[in-house]
Amino acid sequence: MLFFPPYDKLKRLKIGGVTDNCMDEFRIDSHKLIYHPGRVSDWQNKVDIYPIYAEISPIGACNHRCTYCGLDYMEYKPRSLDAVLLKERLTELGNLGLKSVMYAGEGEPFLHKDISGIINHTKSAGIDVAITSNGVLFNQSLMEATLASITWIKVSINAATKETYAKIHRTKEADFDKAVANIGAAVKYRSANKLNSTIGMQLILLPENINEAVLLAKKAKDIGADYLVIKSYSQHLKSITRLYEEFKYNEHLGLKEELDKISDGGFNVIFRSNAMRKLDEKKRRYEKCLALPFWTYIDAGGGVWACSAYLGDERFLLGNINETSYEAVWKGERRKKVMGFVAKELNTDECRVNCRMDEVNRYLWDLRHPQAHVNFI
């Protein structure tokens, strides 16, 4: 029988990934595959497992045009998933063993006309729900309709002043006030209705906002957010924008010490120094991508992709949920071909640095390639 230490102790341990932030209770700067030993064991035994986690883009349109957007090459097309069909697929995915969905992707999820119905159906299908959003549209009515079904929501706010925010998000200054007000209202609604949803914020550290990180942390704490993530920019392989490709984080790691002073028992700043340091690694710690069986990505057109870093690259397209069931996609010949390509031909040194599954890949590679003396635990 596998044993895990109590949850409060897990917050302080370095398990399955390197992290120097003892306040990262959600392991945002590491990974959580260690909590799914059954699925990992099946994978180790060559069982063709179904994914644990999915990222789904319900709509391609977006109300912002952020300077750092990695998916700008997708062109913010106003396509969206059919809600009725998506709900059918979500029920199917829940039955296949999917544990969680994050609604984000190439557009702003709250722009979908039936996003509340999609969120609530996802939860009723036995799947945990997360949202990554700019928060501007998360108004009182939408909040009341969905927050009970949301495990966590993370609002991207990349500045502490409306002037800098408008420049980075390339939107109206008034959107900053809306986003902040919506987060504060969500916190109050959660408290009044005794909900368990986690409400967080995120800032991508950029030259334009680096002097506002501390101010944003204080603002996040004041309005009652649970945490603020400070993360690095990572150049997407196909992005049009190249503004931040050469931006280096090593000289800014000291910012963590100042931010840690703002954290307390009810609010944490999660400074992703682990991810920042990895940007300067000369070579990856794994030679092959092993994580793809554990997750899936569905775009706003219904396309199922093996990896979100390669959206639009036909070598990674598995199928389309508008044409067939998810199970048929996952068991299909096209996926077998894609996985064969990934196993035999894909050079991970050419992949996006700090990709979504980087920490998971490090963990799985160590499992497949154990060092000497592993029995001396």
Side-chain angles (χ1 to χ4, degrees), residues 47-148:
V47 175
D48 187 18
I49 60 170
Y50 285 103
I52 295 170
Y53 164 69
E55 292 184 13
I56 299 178
S57 177
I59 190 166
C62 191
N63 53 338
H64 287 181
R65 293 290 184 272
C66 300
T67 57
Y68 60 84
C69 181
L71 294 179
D72 53 5
Y73 72 95
M74 298 292 286
E75 299 178 343
Y76 313 104
K77 296 174 182 175
R79 59 180 184 169
S80 61
L81 291 169
D82 178 79
V84 174
L85 185 140
L86 178 57
K87 290 171 186 177
E88 291 179 10
R89 298 291 184 257
L90 288 165
T91 298
E92 177 194 10
L93 281 162
N95 291 332
L96 292 174
L98 189 76
K99 301 293 185 185
S100 62
V101 168
M102 181 176 76
Y103 289 110
E106 65 259 35
E108 165 53 49
F110 288 131
L111 280 172
H112 193 288
K113 293 180 180 179
D114 191 25
I115 191 62
S116 60
I118 291 169
I119 289 171
N120 292 329
H121 183 87
T122 306
K123 185 64 176 178
S124 68
I127 302 170
D128 291 342
V129 181
I131 307 287
T132 295
S133 165
N134 58 48
V136 174
L137 302 176
F138 193 49
N139 56 30
Q140 191 74 30
S141 60
L142 187 53
M143 177 194 316
E144 292 178 4
T146 62
L147 195 58

Side-chain angles (χ1 to χ4, degrees), residues 157-162 164-166 168-169 176 203 209 212 216:
I157 298 186
N158 294 285
T161 64
K162 59 185 179 181
T164 305
Y165 176 91
I168 294 174
H169 285 250
F176 175 79
L203 175 139
N209 64 24
E212 297 187 9
L216 184 64

Side-chain angles (χ1 to χ4, degrees), residues 289-356:
C289 180
L290 303 176
L292 300 188
F294 294 92
W295 81 304
T296 189
Y297 185 98
I298 300 174
D299 70 25
V304 182
W305 299 86
C307 177
S308 63
Y310 289 97
L311 295 183
D313 187 333
E314 295 287 323
R315 296 176 301 169
F316 294 83
L317 179 62
L318 307 182
N320 195 298
I321 60 167
N322 293 325
E323 300 168 2
T324 186
S325 68
Y326 187 87
E327 183 175 19
V329 171
W330 200 251
K331 294 292 186 180
E333 289 301 316
R334 187 174 183 92
R335 177 171 174 267
K336 291 178 183 177
K337 182 179 179 181
V338 171
M339 296 304 290
F341 162 74
V342 171
K344 298 175 183 177
E345 300 180 44
L346 180 65
N347 181 359
T348 56
D349 286 335
E350 298 175 357
C351 291
R352 186 181 189 181
V353 178
N354 275 355
C355 75
R356 185 78 77 192

Side-chain angles (χ1 to χ4, degrees), residues 172-204:
K172 303 180 294 292
E173 291 184 358
D175 278 0
F176 175 79
D177 294 326
K178 288 180 182 178
V180 172
N182 287 343
I183 295 168
V187 169
K188 292 177 182 177
Y189 181 79
R190 176 185 63 181
S191 177
N193 292 276
K194 297 180 172 58
L195 304 179
N196 294 318
S197 309
T198 299
I199 301 170
M201 294 164 60
Q202 178 171 280
L203 175 139
I204 296 179

